[in-house]
Amino acid sequence: MKRILAVALSLLVIGQTTTVLAADIPFANLINYDVVASDVNSIEAFTANLYTSFLGRVGSVEESQYWINKLRSGSITGVQAVAGFYNSSEYQNRLKTISNEDYIRSLYQGVLIREADSVGIEFWTGKINGGMSKVDILGGFLDSAEFGANCARAGITPGHFGNNAPSTTASTPVPTAAPVAQVTGDRNQVNDFVRRLYTIILNRGCSDTELADWTDKLLSGSVTGSQVIRGFIDSTEFASRNVSNDEFVSICFRAILGREADSVGLNEWTTRLNNGTSRSSIVTGFCGSDEFANLCKNYGITPIRIVNFPQARARLDIIGHDLRAAYNWSVMPYTRNNAWTNPALGSDYYAQIGFANHTGNCYVMAATFYEMAVELGYEAHQVGGMVPSVRGGMTPHSWVEVVIDGQIYVVDPDYQYSTGNSGYMIRYRQPGTWVYSDYQRMN
């Protein structure tokens, strides 16, 4: 029997910090190690199996100890641990390249801790080919008596994936999220890009601290050129300038396209604004242009964040590329489903429901707004947490955080649906709003 678990456990016992990587080993080979449930009779072994089965590598001591401590303390269940690995960027990237058959094998080894039999592979791949979602299949494995028995053997509370799914889940602490943008320019180039925005948009110079703040963000790849443009144009300082529509268009030409507005373009865009097109839509159009891409290339920065939210993009094409329009659409008819309170399912899972049906609960509403906000170039994060229940106690809830001008704003479509009061760009602890607690970002 191939004892990859022995390797992981030896690292834990002797206290080494080396991470054994398996990048050069085919994924199909990794998930076919014949570790069996009888070997997994401790939390350490349970954790090691998750790393080898889902991530195709042995976890470092620090990584493994994180999960071991969580499971041993009872702060997370077996379901939450599996969900954390399943929802990690490492495993999700693997899913893009493996077959349905290998996906089923990874569930057998990761959840049931045994090699998949031919009958099981044929049955479950048939379900996928017939339209059943991979997440639903994961739920079937996690709610099985076999998984419960494996957890009991390791001394772990199994938990439940269905209607009583926990409202929070841990996420893999290592590795951290990758930057969203690649930068080729040096500090001087990026400094020049930022300085010109202070001059053109805010009509002033900048301090060394202000300059360094934006430049560091661009150099680290944590923001793109379009997100910095949003930061300046959506700032309270720019709003206080109270520029006219034609002045706004002229500023966009200079700041985003790097040139003065021609008479035809100035007239066309100003007319659109006068007829009701939002300024946010104008910024989206300018930032998506080849001219802006070339401008950013000259300064060595990435113009826009590359995302793959086609349904969000299609919806924005209909309602308008505007953040408020995205919010208004996301305040949708309510559908209660107790299974829709699990952050580990991911934003796209909930957004698919909302875009397809235009009905859902707080998680669904928040997910559709989150994806449209990211498509518009905003720094946005879906959040899972708790709010007070009308029946007493606390209840699971989801909303979105949007970061503008360095400030975090809460955007909560379900708050407006439930109370009739605006949940658009409110603040934590704002009088008259819900009390948000015990929360963490899902992305």
Side-chain angles (χ1 to χ4, degrees), residues 89-151:
S89 57
E90 280 190 70
Y91 184 67
Q92 290 300 310
N93 285 335
R94 287 179 178 274
L95 278 183
K96 298 174 183 177
T97 62
I98 66 172
S99 65
N100 290 340
E101 185 175 310
D102 281 342
Y103 171 74
I104 297 303
R105 285 198 176 97
S106 74
L107 295 189
Y108 267 92
Q109 192 60 65
V111 179
L112 304 187
I113 318 179
R114 64 178 172 87
E115 194 170 333
D117 57 90
S118 58
V119 174
I121 291 176
E122 182 179 356
F123 174 81
W124 288 112
T125 53
K127 290 291 187 182
I128 295 177
N129 295 334
M132 189 174 183
S133 76
K134 291 182 177 180
V135 171
D136 285 341
I137 291 175
L138 170 67
F141 276 72
L142 289 175
D143 281 340
S144 68
E146 193 170 350
F147 176 69
N150 291 341
C151 287

Side-chain angles (χ1 to χ4, degrees), residues 148-411:
N150 291 341
C151 287
R153 188 178 297 106
I156 297 168
T157 301
H160 186 50
F161 189 82
N163 290 343
N164 296 317
S167 62
T168 58
T169 185
S171 58
T172 307
V174 179
T176 57
V180 301
Q182 293 183 342
V183 181
T184 59
D186 58 28
R187 178 169 287 274
N188 288 333
Q189 287 177 285
V190 179
N191 276 341
D192 288 342
F193 177 82
V194 174
R195 282 195 189 96
R196 58 187 296 279
L197 298 184
Y198 275 97
T199 301
I200 297 170
I201 299 176
L202 300 185
N203 196 32
R204 66 173 176 88
C206 60
S207 68
D208 291 341
T209 301
E210 290 174 321
L211 179 63
D213 180 57
W214 283 114
T215 298
D216 289 345
K217 289 179 180 178
L218 283 165
L219 286 174
S220 69
S222 62
V223 298
T224 63
S226 65
Q227 288 175 313
V228 176
I229 294 289
R230 287 279 187 192
F232 276 80
I233 289 181
D234 288 333
S235 69
T236 54
E237 184 176 352
F238 180 66
S240 69
R241 290 190 61 190
N242 197 28
V243 299
S244 64
N245 283 341
D246 61 337
E247 289 175 314
F248 179 82
V249 172
S250 295
I251 288 171
C252 286
F253 267 93
R254 293 198 303 273
I256 303 175
L257 303 188
R259 64 179 175 87
E260 294 296 327
D262 58 276
S263 58
V264 175
L266 178 61
N267 181 67
E268 177 183 347
W269 290 108
T270 301
T271 299
R272 291 190 186 187
L273 287 175
N274 292 338
N275 290 335
T277 298
S278 70
R279 291 186 173 185
S280 178
S281 294
I282 302 297
V283 173
T284 298
F286 275 56
C287 286
S289 68
D290 290 338
E291 284 186 84
F292 181 62
N294 290 331
L295 178 76
C296 289
K297 183 178 180 181
N298 291 337
Y299 289 100
I301 62 177
T302 299
I304 60 175
R305 182 179 180 183
I306 304 302
V307 293
N308 185 29
F309 297 147
Q311 288 182 303
R313 191 161 51 250
R315 178 53 51 185
L316 289 168
D317 287 341
I318 297 171
I319 65 177
H321 288 249
D322 178 75
L323 194 66
R324 186 58 188 257
Y327 169 77
N328 290 340
W329 190 87
S330 296
V331 182
M332 61 183 66
Y334 193 91
T335 296
R336 180 176 300 279
N337 187 322
N338 290 335
W340 294 347
T341 57
N342 187 355
L345 296 178
S347 295
D348 200 45
Y349 170 83
Y350 293 109
Q352 297 277 352
I353 297 170
F355 286 125
N357 305 296
H358 200 214
T359 183
N361 69 348
C362 58
Y363 272 84
V364 174
M365 297 183 202
T368 58
F369 175 78
Y370 157 73
E371 292 200 353
M372 287 191 282
V374 172
E375 276 290 329
L376 289 170
Y378 287 89
E379 180 186 348
H381 310 274
Q382 185 170 1
V383 179
M386 307 290 284
V387 294
S389 171
V390 295
R391 294 180 294 275
M394 305 296 286
T395 188
H397 187 61
S398 184
W399 61 96
V400 177
E401 291 179 346
V402 177
V403 183
I404 295 177
D405 198 18
Q407 302 296 315
I408 296 176
Y409 294 88
V410 171
V411 179

Side-chain angles (χ1 to χ4, degrees), residues 8-81:
L9 292 175
S10 67
L11 289 176
L12 290 168
V13 171
I14 64 179
Q16 295 178 353
T17 59
T18 303
T19 300
V20 180
L21 300 176
D24 297 327
I25 304 175
F27 183 61
N29 291 342
L30 286 164
I31 61 176
N32 281 325
Y33 279 109
D34 53 342
V35 177
V36 296
S38 59
D39 294 316
V40 183
N41 54 12
S42 69
I43 291 176
E44 289 82 358
F46 182 90
T47 301
N49 181 64
L50 292 178
Y51 271 101
T52 56
S53 299
F54 285 106
L55 304 189
R57 65 179 177 88
V58 177
S60 70
V61 172
E62 292 84 355
E63 290 177 306
S64 300
Q65 199 62 50
Y66 172 90
W67 292 105
I68 291 168
N69 291 343
K70 288 284 189 180
L71 288 166
R72 183 171 289 146
S73 68
S75 60
I76 64 171
T77 64
V79 166
Q80 288 179 302

